[in-house]
Amino acid sequence: MSEPAALPFQLIPGNTLLTRTPEEGRQLAIKMSRLVIKVTQPDSVVRERLRPIYAEDAAMLIAICQTVATEFATIAAANNYWRDPKPR
Amino acid sequence: MSEPAALPFQLIPGNTLLTRTPEEGRQLAIKMSRLVIKVTQPDSVVRERLRPIYAEDAAMLIAICQTVATEFATIAAANNYWRDPKPR
Amino acid sequence: MSEPAALPFQLIPGNTLLTRTPEEGRQLAIKMSRLVIKVTQPDSVVRERLRPIYAEDAAMLIAICQTVATEFATIAAANNYWRDPKPR
Amino acid sequence: MSEPAALPFQLIPGNTLLTRTPEEGRQLAIKMSRLVIKVTQPDSVVRERLRPIYAEDAAMLIAICQTVATEFATIAAANNYWRDPKPR
Amino acid sequence: MSEPAALPFQLIPGNTLLTRTPEEGRQLAIKMSRLVIKVTQPDSVVRERLRPIYAEDAAMLIAICQTVATEFATIAAANNYWRDPKPR
Amino acid sequence: MSEPAALPFQLIPGNTLLTRTPEEGRQLAIKMSRLVIKVTQPDSVVRERLRPIYAEDAAMLIAICQTVATEFATIAAANNYWRDPKPR
């Protein structure tokens, strides 16, 4: 995997795992996964070429679900599962 | 993975991980997985075309089980495993 | 993945993660995985056709182990690992 | 996956996750994985036929490691990571 | 997997899981994954040959995301999810 | 998976998950994975034949990273993430 030295972008937008809502946490999970792909394959042309490959492949779509589920588990724990009804 | 900017739907129905029962939590886990597929492949025609592919493929069905299990682990923890017999 | 609206069966038998023993928890883990397959592929004829495929495929058997292990992790945590010797 | 009704064997030997040592916990993790394969494929002849397939396949050996690691995570947590030096 | 006896490099840079920020934790997760590849395949020529293979393969990119997510879960827990706004 | 009765070697070197440093914990994670392969495939000739197969296959190298990450998660939790700066 490529070394992320002097990255021109953040791997975690906002540099925090804390979100106001579960929905925002879920969006963060998807973004964080996408950014690992970006740092591993920095060429946007290649990434665009790969997009229809995984978006039309049932097995890869399921694998993406698995990855998002794993990221979301961490984010949900960080936010104490948004059990507190008050916005933070 | 596609960026979920201005999503026309929620990634987490109800915007909460809290459910009254384990059964509802399990249903939420399935829905949350399905919605990641939807955000990654927004074209419902393509999704419908993929459905019989994974639904008739043993390996993909097992992979779906894995994904649901991972989502459910988070939801179950959020609900403190529904140990409290009183409805919430 | 198919939407489990108006399911004719429960995804979690008994609607609880709490079991008396680890053995029962393990059986629940297997049942819960099986029921996700059932909700994703409701046609019992197709499911019966798939059964020998995964039951005679080493890689799929290992994948099933992985899924059961993940479900069991949640069930075991829910039961506080059955550390308390008294039956519940 | 096959329904484990009236199993002629236990899925968890000794019906407990508690072991005296990490080594015994590790052995239990391997046994528990093996027993899920046994309940899914009850025919010992088939299982014996599959053994050299996965034992000589690098990818399947790695997948077995993954499964054992997941089972062991649960067992280790159940035993509070055997932090207490006294035998139980 | 190769035995890491007398490694000429550290598997965990800085020999700590503690980082100041989530962003640094994410970078550490990527580095730690990369170093497992390095210890398993010490030949840099082979590693360089493999790089375009996984960087242009959608399924492998997703698998890398999965690995990074798993490492990051551990690092995030170690840092108590960076909930404390003060730098450490 | 083969039954580890009367193993001629330990599955967990030192029979403990506790290590002085994260680096040693990482090495233990790699060793523990390797020993599961050894117990599943006891023939060292076969294992040596498989080594270049996975060490030169990008997908398998990533799968090894996944396994090590999972083992390490358990070891890190066992050591309370080495948060205490004092050696143990």
Side-chain angles (χ1 to χ4, degrees):
Chain A
M1 305 168 192
S2 63
E3 191 158 6
L7 285 176
F9 56 89
Q10 278 195 307
L11 291 167
I12 301 179
N15 202 1
T16 180
L17 300 181
L18 305 181
T19 70
R20 285 183 304 163
T21 65
E23 181 74 16
E24 291 180 13
R26 195 74 172 168
Q27 293 180 3
L28 178 58
I30 294 176
K31 283 181 195 161
M32 281 169 59
S33 289
R34 192 172 48 82
L35 289 165
V36 172
I37 289 185
K38 189 173 178 180
V39 78
T40 311
Q41 177 48 268
D43 187 336
S44 65
V45 175
V46 176
R47 288 202 309 274
E48 284 305 312
R49 178 160 51 81
L50 296 177
R51 193 182 301 269
I53 292 175
Y54 63 71
E56 297 182 17
D57 183 292
M60 289 193 209
L61 285 170
I62 299 169
I64 287 172
C65 290
Q66 186 66 40
T67 295
V68 171
T70 306
E71 298 286 13
F72 184 67
T74 301
I75 294 167
N79 287 279
N80 200 22
Y81 304 101
W82 301 276
R83 285 188 190 124
D84 185 356
K86 296 188 294 297
R88 267 163 292 195
Chain B
M1 305 166 191
S2 62
E3 191 158 6
L7 285 176
F9 56 89
Q10 280 195 307
L11 291 167
I12 301 179
N15 203 0
T16 180
L17 300 181
L18 304 182
T19 70
R20 285 183 304 164
T21 64
E23 180 73 16
E24 291 180 13
R26 195 75 172 166
Q27 293 180 3
L28 178 58
I30 294 176
K31 283 180 194 162
M32 282 169 59
S33 289
R34 192 171 48 82
L35 289 165
V36 172
I37 289 185
K38 189 173 178 180
V39 78
T40 310
Q41 177 48 268
D43 187 336
S44 65
V45 175
V46 176
R47 288 203 310 274
E48 285 305 311
R49 178 159 51 80
L50 296 177
R51 194 183 301 270
I53 292 175
Y54 63 70
E56 297 181 19
D57 183 292
M60 289 193 209
L61 285 170
I62 298 168
I64 287 172
C65 289
Q66 185 67 40
T67 295
V68 171
T70 306
E71 298 286 14
F72 184 68
T74 301
I75 295 167
N79 287 279
N80 200 21
Y81 304 102
W82 302 276
R83 285 187 190 124
D84 185 355
K86 296 189 293 298
R88 268 163 291 194
Chain C
M1 305 165 192
S2 62
E3 190 158 6
L7 285 176
F9 57 89
Q10 279 194 307
L11 291 167
I12 301 180
N15 202 0
T16 180
L17 300 181
L18 306 181
T19 70
R20 285 184 304 164
T21 65
E23 180 73 16
E24 291 180 13
R26 196 73 173 167
Q27 293 181 3
L28 178 58
I30 293 176
K31 283 180 194 161
M32 282 169 59
S33 289
R34 193 172 47 82
L35 289 165
V36 173
I37 289 185
K38 188 173 177 179
V39 79
T40 310
Q41 176 49 268
D43 188 335
S44 65
V45 175
V46 177
R47 288 202 311 274
E48 283 306 311
R49 178 159 51 81
L50 295 177
R51 194 182 300 268
I53 293 174
Y54 62 70
E56 297 181 18
D57 183 292
M60 290 193 209
L61 285 170
I62 298 168
I64 288 172
C65 289
Q66 185 66 40
T67 295
V68 171
T70 306
E71 297 286 13
F72 184 68
T74 301
I75 295 167
N79 287 279
N80 201 21
Y81 304 101
W82 302 275
R83 285 188 190 123
D84 185 356
K86 297 189 293 298
R88 266 162 293 195
Chain D
M1 305 168 193
S2 62
E3 191 158 8
L7 285 176
F9 56 90
Q10 279 194 306
L11 291 167
I12 300 179
N15 203 0
T16 180
L17 300 181
L18 305 182
T19 70
R20 284 183 304 162
T21 64
E23 181 74 17
E24 291 180 13
R26 195 74 172 166
Q27 294 179 2
L28 178 58
I30 293 175
K31 283 181 195 162
M32 282 169 59
S33 289
R34 194 172 47 82
L35 288 165
V36 172
I37 289 185
K38 189 173 177 179
V39 79
T40 310
Q41 177 48 268
D43 187 335
S44 65
V45 175
V46 176
R47 288 201 310 275
E48 284 306 311
R49 178 159 52 80
L50 295 177
R51 194 182 300 270
I53 292 174
Y54 63 69
E56 297 182 17
D57 183 293
M60 290 193 208
L61 285 170
I62 298 168
I64 288 172
C65 289
Q66 185 67 39
T67 296
V68 171
T70 306
E71 297 286 14
F72 184 68
T74 302
I75 295 167
N79 287 279
N80 201 21
Y81 304 101
W82 301 276
R83 285 187 190 124
D84 185 355
K86 296 189 294 299
R88 266 163 293 193
Chain E
M1 306 170 192
S2 61
E3 191 158 7
L7 285 177
F9 56 89
Q10 279 195 306
L11 290 167
I12 300 178
N15 202 0
T16 180
L17 299 181
L18 305 182
T19 69
R20 285 183 304 162
T21 65
E23 180 74 17
E24 291 180 13
R26 195 75 172 167
Q27 294 180 2
L28 178 58
I30 294 175
K31 283 181 194 161
M32 281 170 57
S33 290
R34 194 172 47 82
L35 289 165
V36 171
I37 289 184
K38 189 173 177 179
V39 78
T40 311
Q41 177 48 268
D43 187 336
S44 65
V45 175
V46 176
R47 289 203 309 276
E48 285 304 312
R49 179 161 50 80
L50 295 177
R51 193 182 301 269
I53 292 175
Y54 63 70
E56 298 182 17
D57 183 293
M60 289 194 208
L61 285 170
I62 299 168
I64 287 172
C65 289
Q66 186 66 40
T67 295
V68 170
T70 306
E71 298 286 13
F72 184 68
T74 301
I75 294 167
N79 287 280
N80 200 23
Y81 304 102
W82 301 276
R83 284 188 191 125
D84 185 355
K86 296 188 294 297
R88 267 163 292 194
Chain F
M1 305 168 193
S2 61
E3 191 158 8
L7 285 176
F9 56 89
Q10 279 194 305
L11 291 167
I12 300 179
N15 202 1
T16 180
L17 300 181
L18 306 181
T19 69
R20 285 182 304 162
T21 65
E23 180 74 16
E24 292 180 12
R26 196 76 173 166
Q27 294 180 2
L28 178 58
I30 294 175
K31 283 180 194 161
M32 282 170 58
S33 289
R34 194 172 46 82
L35 289 164
V36 172
I37 289 184
K38 189 173 177 180
V39 79
T40 310
Q41 177 48 268
D43 187 335
S44 65
V45 174
V46 176
R47 288 202 310 274
E48 285 304 312
R49 178 160 51 81
L50 296 177
R51 193 182 301 269
I53 292 174
Y54 62 71
E56 298 182 17
D57 183 293
M60 290 194 209
L61 284 171
I62 298 168
I64 288 172
C65 289
Q66 186 65 40
T67 296
V68 171
T70 306
E71 298 286 14
F72 184 69
T74 301
I75 295 167
N79 287 279
N80 201 22
Y81 303 101
W82 301 276
R83 285 188 190 125
D84 185 355
K86 296 189 294 296
R88 265 163 293 194

